[in-house]
Amino acid sequence: MNTKLYKLMNWARIEGVVYSEEDHPHDILGAQIVSGGTLIQTFQPYAKQVSVSIKDQNHMIPMELVDEEGFFAVLIKDKSKFEYNYQTVLKDGTVKEVKELYNYEPTVKERDARKLNAGLHYEVYDMLGAHLREMNGVSGTSFAVWAPNAIRVSVVGDFNHWDGRINQMRRIANTGVFEIFIPDVGEGEIYKYEIKIKGGLIVLKADPYAFGAQLRPDTASVIRKTEGYPWKDTKWLNNRKEKQQKDAPISVYEVHLASFKKPESGDEFYNYKEIAPILADYVKDMGYTHVELMPIMEHPLDESWGYQTIGYYAPTSRYGTPEDFMYFMNYMHINEIGVILDWVPAHFPRDTYGLSNFDGTCLYEHQDPRQGFHPQWGTLLYNYGRPEVRNYLIANALFWAKRYHADGIRMDAVASMLYLDYGKKDGEWIANIYGGNENLEAVEFIKHLNSVFKKENEDVLLIAEESTAWPMVTGDLKDGGLGFDYKWNMGWMNDFLGYMRYDPYYRTHHFGELTFSMIYAYSERFILALSHDEVVHGKSSLIGKMPGEREQKFANLRASLAYMMMHPGKKLLFMGQDLGEFNEWNESREVEWNLLQYEEHQGIHQLMKALNAFYKSHPSLYKLDHKHEGFEWINNISANENIIVFLRKSYEESETLLVVCNFGGNAQDNYKIGVPGPGKYKEVLNTDAVLFGGTGITNPRLKQSKKEECDNREDSVRIKIAPLSVCVFQYTRVNELLTDNQTAREKAVQKGKKAVRKKSGLKKELEKKYQEEERGV
């Protein structure tokens, strides 16, 4: 080595590169202007010889090996800017061209990294992760990751033999962000981050912001793009606000994609593109308005059903690529079906290639296991007090709405986030600064997320799975609420299913469990959920919970489904329960479609189809869903008979429905019930109809009310009620008859006109009142 070149060598920094402990490699590698020309340095551990090939020049400039590990350098007596590559002779004699990657400007600006540090970079997924781009006319991929406590971070993959010495990344100031642009690395390439942590240990980590991932059991991230898809769902998006407002009918079909239907080809899963038309056809035929997908974010364990997420920004590769999932979402929207995504911001698995101990420290989780570990689930809990962690999750929720057009986000396990002692014993948790069990940081995180999310996605639903009595979950943020649109009504689900498990003889003693839900029905905006959680792990399927012989089980299930659809609140039903599966759900098998060949199962299927159609076509079941004016008890005290009677109402009196539920085991022949007024009552739905697998005890003829007091009402009717059934009546009010012929008719006409004007005025007044309340006037 000549003396001049020797004196230009920064041996300490060279050693840092060679021993892969350099976090500012761009300061030494590549072309640097120095006294006497341009110093070019490269580290190529597999090279025997390296020469510089300057563009538009025909000769090579040999480089000197200044460190036997593969560090080469050369001084070119030219200070002008020029383009060059390396011609490398490998140790096996192979010659290849290597492009310089340390002459590019940073792909991450310091001010953007500072926004991440403040927890305010809501499009951070465009900064961190792997992104296809062109730099100085060269195509490649930029990589960026947040790992503030790492000594050094490198990108590794097939493109560099998984050798962390080759593509060492640059630290951006003191933001904790590392970045690099690597030429000629394209879509579909697999990669990880090799992180050298304090103490010298090296760990391999999947990219937290990766848009794609390998199919388990492989664990590498995959370079994918999420922009440029030719969406055709503009019509749906333009109408979404109307379809998802509080007074719209919402009936959700909860789906686990892997086990909805299995391919006849023998493949393990359908592709997103293949399952889309199959699912859409079924959902449209059944009349559901939405599907809710159990988590499709990348996860390592099939048996976790997606609730132990590793790749928050990557649709699971079990069913295809991000573009395939965009096709799925687009297809659903074209078919007028909304899509709600399950999302898990409460905890994450301990798999060593994921977020746990990411840069050698507890970066995403708490260090103290009493704060950072959930003993029941064996998972780690997010540290919501760290701005970058909050940013990671908030941006992720926004990402699914923006990039994949999600119509709703259902937040899993909210109760475990709100309470520090959730699922923990004494000594396994730490109180907050006030000595309480409320997780104050999680509360602020939720409010922050919901505030930002709603500003950008006013018409996308935010749904909380929250199982406690935490107040104002769906309350307005301005009033101290958490800001969700809906909350799963776990209280109704537990009480009602508990009640239905009893033999009708014993239900009398648990009658309060049937009626209790109406005491708090309007304290929140609820979704009545009969979800996957209720049909696994020894809990039995819905029909399996029902008492009695086979015939009674089916009757109980029909009554249960109808009661859910008549009760105030939006609706959710897990797949398979709408055809009466006896077996518990198992993620390894498909829905038992073969059951539809049997009449009794076909009856359940036809009933649920009819219930969805009935629900959507009767405004009284949804127009005032969140207002107490939309519900009125007729009879909630007949515990001995296990019969309840109530009204569902809308703005129009003519749309009022009279609902009669018999959860007792005896038929009632000539049963007297109070009615809201004089008129004719027509049965419009009965779960005991033969079409639905019932015995046919129905009320086919109109019922004329009589002036006989019942249920504290002046008028009443007498009806037949089948055991274990629900029947619904629509009524037409009839004014009291007058005796004088012509005069009576004239008076009736005048009275009718006045009534119409009065009713029209009342309707407008009511609508105005509710609209003002919605706006907070």
Side-chain angles (χ1 to χ4, degrees), residues 610-641:
L611 285 171
N612 276 326
F614 189 85
Y615 170 59
K616 292 188 293 185
S617 62
H618 288 80
S620 57
L621 295 177
Y622 57 81
K623 276 293 182 184
L624 294 176
D625 216 10
H626 58 295
K627 296 286 185 181
H628 62 83
E629 290 89 350
F631 179 92
E632 184 179 343
W633 281 117
I634 295 285
N635 178 1
N636 63 347
I637 60 172
S638 295
N640 290 335
E641 295 89 356

CSV table of all heavy atoms in Angstrom, one decimal, residues 610-641:
chain,number,residue,atom,x,y,z
A,610,ALA,N,-84.2,-15.6,6.3
A,610,ALA,CA,-85.4,-14.8,6.4
A,610,ALA,C,-85.3,-13.7,7.5
A,610,ALA,O,-85.8,-12.6,7.3
A,610,ALA,CB,-86.6,-15.7,6.8
A,611,LEU,N,-84.6,-14.0,8.6
A,611,LEU,CA,-84.4,-13.0,9.6
A,611,LEU,C,-83.6,-11.8,9.1
A,611,LEU,O,-83.9,-10.7,9.4
A,611,LEU,CB,-83.7,-13.6,10.8
A,611,LEU,CG,-84.5,-14.6,11.7
A,611,LEU,CD1,-83.6,-15.3,12.7
A,611,LEU,CD2,-85.6,-13.8,12.4
A,612,ASN,N,-82.5,-12.1,8.3
A,612,ASN,CA,-81.8,-10.9,7.8
A,612,ASN,C,-82.6,-10.1,6.8
A,612,ASN,O,-82.5,-8.9,6.9
A,612,ASN,CB,-80.5,-11.5,7.0
A,612,ASN,CG,-79.3,-11.8,7.9
A,612,ASN,OD1,-79.1,-11.1,8.9
A,612,ASN,ND2,-78.6,-12.8,7.6
A,613,ALA,N,-83.4,-10.7,6.0
A,613,ALA,CA,-84.3,-10.0,5.1
A,613,ALA,C,-85.3,-9.2,5.9
A,613,ALA,O,-85.6,-8.0,5.6
A,613,ALA,CB,-84.9,-11.0,4.1
A,614,PHE,N,-85.9,-9.8,6.9
A,614,PHE,CA,-86.9,-9.2,7.7
A,614,PHE,C,-86.3,-8.0,8.5
A,614,PHE,O,-86.9,-6.9,8.5
A,614,PHE,CB,-87.4,-10.2,8.7
A,614,PHE,CG,-88.6,-9.7,9.5
A,614,PHE,CD1,-89.9,-9.8,9.0
A,614,PHE,CD2,-88.4,-9.1,10.8
A,614,PHE,CE1,-91.0,-9.4,9.7
A,614,PHE,CE2,-89.5,-8.7,11.5
A,614,PHE,CZ,-90.8,-8.8,11.0
A,615,TYR,N,-85.1,-8.2,9.0
A,615,TYR,CA,-84.4,-7.1,9.7
A,615,TYR,C,-84.2,-5.9,8.8
A,615,TYR,O,-84.4,-4.8,9.2
A,615,TYR,CB,-83.1,-7.7,10.2
A,615,TYR,CG,-82.1,-6.7,10.8
A,615,TYR,CD1,-82.4,-5.9,11.9
A,615,TYR,CD2,-80.8,-6.6,10.3
A,615,TYR,CE1,-81.5,-5.0,12.5
A,615,TYR,CE2,-79.9,-5.7,10.9
A,615,TYR,CZ,-80.2,-4.9,11.9
A,615,TYR,OH,-79.3,-4.0,12.5
A,616,LYS,N,-83.7,-6.1,7.6
A,616,LYS,CA,-83.3,-5.0,6.7
A,616,LYS,C,-84.6,-4.3,6.2
A,616,LYS,O,-84.5,-3.1,5.8
A,616,LYS,CB,-82.4,-5.5,5.6
A,616,LYS,CG,-81.1,-6.0,6.0
A,616,LYS,CD,-80.1,-6.3,4.9
A,616,LYS,CE,-80.6,-7.5,4.1
A,616,LYS,NZ,-79.6,-7.8,3.0
A,617,SER,N,-85.7,-5.0,6.1
A,617,SER,CA,-86.9,-4.5,5.5
A,617,SER,C,-87.8,-3.8,6.5
A,617,SER,O,-88.9,-3.3,6.1
A,617,SER,CB,-87.6,-5.5,4.7
A,617,SER,OG,-88.1,-6.6,5.6
A,618,HIS,N,-87.5,-3.9,7.8
A,618,HIS,CA,-88.3,-3.3,8.8
A,618,HIS,C,-87.6,-2.2,9.6
A,618,HIS,O,-86.8,-2.5,10.5
A,618,HIS,CB,-88.9,-4.4,9.8
A,618,HIS,CG,-89.9,-5.2,9.1
A,618,HIS,ND1,-89.6,-6.3,8.3
A,618,HIS,CD2,-91.3,-5.2,9.2
A,618,HIS,CE1,-90.7,-6.8,7.8
A,618,HIS,NE2,-91.7,-6.2,8.4
A,619,PRO,N,-87.8,-0.9,9.3
A,619,PRO,CA,-87.0,0.1,9.9
A,619,PRO,C,-87.1,0.2,11.4
A,619,PRO,O,-86.2,0.7,12.1
A,619,PRO,CB,-87.6,1.4,9.3
A,619,PRO,CG,-88.1,0.9,8.0
A,619,PRO,CD,-88.7,-0.4,8.2
A,620,SER,N,-88.2,-0.3,12.0
A,620,SER,CA,-88.4,-0.3,13.4
A,620,SER,C,-87.3,-1.1,14.1
A,620,SER,O,-87.1,-1.0,15.3
A,620,SER,CB,-89.8,-0.8,13.8
A,620,SER,OG,-90.0,-2.1,13.3
A,621,LEU,N,-86.6,-2.0,13.4
A,621,LEU,CA,-85.6,-2.8,14.0
A,621,LEU,C,-84.2,-2.2,14.0
A,621,LEU,O,-83.3,-2.7,14.6
A,621,LEU,CB,-85.5,-4.2,13.3
A,621,LEU,CG,-86.7,-5.1,13.5
A,621,LEU,CD1,-86.6,-6.4,12.7
A,621,LEU,CD2,-87.0,-5.4,14.9
A,622,TYR,N,-84.1,-1.0,13.3
A,622,TYR,CA,-82.8,-0.3,13.3
A,622,TYR,C,-82.8,1.2,13.3
A,622,TYR,O,-81.8,1.8,13.7
A,622,TYR,CB,-82.0,-0.8,12.1
A,622,TYR,CG,-82.6,-0.6,10.8
A,622,TYR,CD1,-82.6,0.6,10.1
A,622,TYR,CD2,-83.3,-1.6,10.1
A,622,TYR,CE1,-83.2,0.8,8.9
A,622,TYR,CE2,-83.9,-1.4,8.9
A,622,TYR,CZ,-83.8,-0.2,8.3
A,622,TYR,OH,-84.4,0.0,7.1
A,623,LYS,N,-83.9,1.8,12.9
A,623,LYS,CA,-83.9,3.3,12.8
A,623,LYS,C,-83.7,4.0,14.2
A,623,LYS,O,-83.0,5.0,14.3
A,623,LYS,CB,-85.3,3.7,12.3
A,623,LYS,CG,-85.3,3.7,10.7
A,623,LYS,CD,-84.4,4.7,10.1
A,623,LYS,CE,-84.5,4.8,8.6
A,623,LYS,NZ,-83.5,5.7,8.0
A,624,LEU,N,-84.3,3.4,15.2
A,624,LEU,CA,-84.1,4.0,16.6
A,624,LEU,C,-83.3,3.0,17.5
A,624,LEU,O,-83.6,2.9,18.7
A,624,LEU,CB,-85.4,4.4,17.2
A,624,LEU,CG,-86.2,5.5,16.5
A,624,LEU,CD1,-87.6,5.7,17.1
A,624,LEU,CD2,-85.4,6.8,16.5
A,625,ASP,N,-82.4,2.3,16.8
A,625,ASP,CA,-81.7,1.2,17.5
A,625,ASP,C,-80.9,1.7,18.8
A,625,ASP,O,-80.8,1.0,19.7
A,625,ASP,CB,-80.6,0.6,16.6
A,625,ASP,CG,-80.5,-0.9,16.8
A,625,ASP,OD1,-81.3,-1.4,17.5
A,625,ASP,OD2,-79.6,-1.4,16.2
A,626,HIS,N,-80.5,3.0,18.7
A,626,HIS,CA,-79.7,3.5,19.8
A,626,HIS,C,-80.4,4.5,20.7
A,626,HIS,O,-79.9,5.3,21.5
A,626,HIS,CB,-78.4,4.2,19.3
A,626,HIS,CG,-78.7,5.3,18.3
A,626,HIS,ND1,-79.3,5.1,17.1
A,626,HIS,CD2,-78.5,6.6,18.3
A,626,HIS,CE1,-79.4,6.2,16.4
A,626,HIS,NE2,-78.9,7.2,17.2
A,627,LYS,N,-81.8,4.5,20.5
A,627,LYS,CA,-82.6,5.4,21.3
A,627,LYS,C,-83.7,4.6,22.0
A,627,LYS,O,-84.3,3.7,21.5
A,627,LYS,CB,-83.3,6.4,20.3
A,627,LYS,CG,-82.4,7.3,19.6
A,627,LYS,CD,-81.9,8.4,20.6
A,627,LYS,CE,-81.0,9.4,19.8
A,627,LYS,NZ,-80.5,10.4,20.7
A,628,HIS,N,-83.9,5.0,23.3
A,628,HIS,CA,-84.9,4.2,24.1
A,628,HIS,C,-86.3,4.3,23.5
A,628,HIS,O,-87.2,3.5,23.8
A,628,HIS,CB,-84.9,4.7,25.5
A,628,HIS,CG,-85.2,6.1,25.7
A,628,HIS,ND1,-86.5,6.6,25.8
A,628,HIS,CD2,-84.5,7.2,25.9
A,628,HIS,CE1,-86.6,7.9,26.0
A,628,HIS,NE2,-85.3,8.3,26.0
A,629,GLU,N,-86.6,5.4,22.7
A,629,GLU,CA,-87.9,5.5,22.1
A,629,GLU,C,-88.2,4.3,21.1
A,629,GLU,O,-89.3,4.1,20.7
A,629,GLU,CB,-88.0,6.8,21.3
A,629,GLU,CG,-88.1,8.0,22.2
A,629,GLU,CD,-86.7,8.6,22.6
A,629,GLU,OE1,-85.7,7.9,22.2
A,629,GLU,OE2,-86.6,9.7,23.1
A,630,GLY,N,-87.1,3.6,20.7
A,630,GLY,CA,-87.3,2.5,19.7
A,630,GLY,C,-87.7,1.2,20.3
A,630,GLY,O,-87.9,0.2,19.6
A,631,PHE,N,-87.9,1.2,21.7
A,631,PHE,CA,-88.3,-0.1,22.3
A,631,PHE,C,-89.3,0.2,23.4
A,631,PHE,O,-89.2,1.2,24.1
A,631,PHE,CB,-87.0,-0.7,23.0
A,631,PHE,CG,-87.3,-2.0,23.7
A,631,PHE,CD1,-87.2,-3.2,23.0
A,631,PHE,CD2,-87.7,-2.0,25.0
A,631,PHE,CE1,-87.4,-4.4,23.7
A,631,PHE,CE2,-87.9,-3.2,25.7
A,631,PHE,CZ,-87.8,-4.4,25.1
A,632,GLU,N,-90.2,-0.7,23.6
A,632,GLU,CA,-91.2,-0.6,24.7
A,632,GLU,C,-91.7,-2.0,25.2
A,632,GLU,O,-92.0,-2.8,24.4
A,632,GLU,CB,-92.4,0.2,24.2
A,632,GLU,CG,-93.4,0.5,25.3
A,632,GLU,CD,-94.6,1.3,24.8
A,632,GLU,OE1,-94.5,1.9,23.7
A,632,GLU,OE2,-95.7,1.3,25.4
A,633,TRP,N,-91.6,-2.2,26.5
A,633,TRP,CA,-92.0,-3.4,27.0
A,633,TRP,C,-93.6,-3.5,27.0
A,633,TRP,O,-94.2,-2.5,27.3
A,633,TRP,CB,-91.6,-3.6,28.5
A,633,TRP,CG,-90.2,-4.0,28.7
A,633,TRP,CD1,-89.2,-3.4,29.3
A,633,TRP,CD2,-89.6,-5.3,28.3
A,633,TRP,NE1,-88.0,-4.1,29.3
A,633,TRP,CE2,-88.3,-5.3,28.8
A,633,TRP,CE3,-90.2,-6.5,27.7
A,633,TRP,CZ2,-87.4,-6.4,28.6
A,633,TRP,CZ3,-89.3,-7.5,27.5
A,633,TRP,CH2,-88.0,-7.5,27.9
A,634,ILE,N,-94.1,-4.6,26.7
A,634,ILE,CA,-95.6,-4.9,26.9
A,634,ILE,C,-95.7,-5.8,28.1
A,634,ILE,O,-96.5,-5.5,29.0
A,634,ILE,CB,-96.2,-5.6,25.6
A,634,ILE,CG1,-96.2,-4.6,24.4
A,634,ILE,CG2,-97.6,-6.1,25.9
A,634,ILE,CD1,-97.2,-3.6,24.5
A,635,ASN,N,-94.8,-6.8,28.1
A,635,ASN,CA,-94.9,-7.8,29.2
A,635,ASN,C,-93.5,-8.3,29.5
A,635,ASN,O,-92.9,-9.0,28.6
A,635,ASN,CB,-95.8,-8.9,28.9
A,635,ASN,CG,-95.9,-10.0,30.0
A,635,ASN,OD1,-95.2,-9.9,31.0
A,635,ASN,ND2,-96.7,-11.0,29.8
A,636,ASN,N,-92.9,-8.0,30.7
A,636,ASN,CA,-91.6,-8.5,31.0
A,636,ASN,C,-91.7,-9.2,32.4
A,636,ASN,O,-90.7,-9.2,33.1
A,636,ASN,CB,-90.5,-7.5,31.0
A,636,ASN,CG,-90.8,-6.3,31.9
A,636,ASN,OD1,-91.9,-6.2,32.5
A,636,ASN,ND2,-89.8,-5.5,32.1
A,637,ILE,N,-92.9,-9.7,32.8
A,637,ILE,CA,-93.0,-10.2,34.2
A,637,ILE,C,-93.6,-11.6,34.2
A,637,ILE,O,-93.8,-12.2,35.2
A,637,ILE,CB,-94.0,-9.3,35.0
A,637,ILE,CG1,-95.3,-9.1,34.4
A,637,ILE,CG2,-93.3,-7.9,35.2
A,637,ILE,CD1,-96.3,-8.4,35.3
A,638,SER,N,-93.8,-12.2,33.0
A,638,SER,CA,-94.4,-13.6,33.0
A,638,SER,C,-93.3,-14.6,33.1
A,638,SER,O,-93.1,-15.4,32.2
A,638,SER,CB,-95.2,-13.7,31.7
A,638,SER,OG,-96.3,-12.9,31.7
A,639,ALA,N,-92.7,-14.6,34.3
A,639,ALA,CA,-91.6,-15.6,34.5
A,639,ALA,C,-92.1,-17.0,34.5
A,639,ALA,O,-91.3,-17.9,34.0
A,639,ALA,CB,-90.9,-15.2,35.8
A,640,ASN,N,-93.3,-17.3,35.0
A,640,ASN,CA,-93.7,-18.7,35.1
A,640,ASN,C,-93.9,-19.3,33.7
A,640,ASN,O,-93.6,-20.5,33.5
A,640,ASN,CB,-95.1,-18.7,35.8
A,640,ASN,CG,-94.9,-18.5,37.3
A,640,ASN,OD1,-93.8,-18.7,37.9
A,640,ASN,ND2,-96.0,-18.0,38.0
A,641,GLU,N,-94.4,-18.5,32.7
A,641,GLU,CA,-94.5,-19.0,31.4
A,641,GLU,C,-93.3,-18.8,30.5
A,641,GLU,O,-93.2,-19.3,29.4
A,641,GLU,CB,-95.7,-18.2,30.7
A,641,GLU,CG,-97.0,-18.5,31.3
A,641,GLU,CD,-97.4,-17.5,32.4
A,641,GLU,OE1,-96.5,-16.7,32.7
A,641,GLU,OE2,-98.5,-17.6,33.0
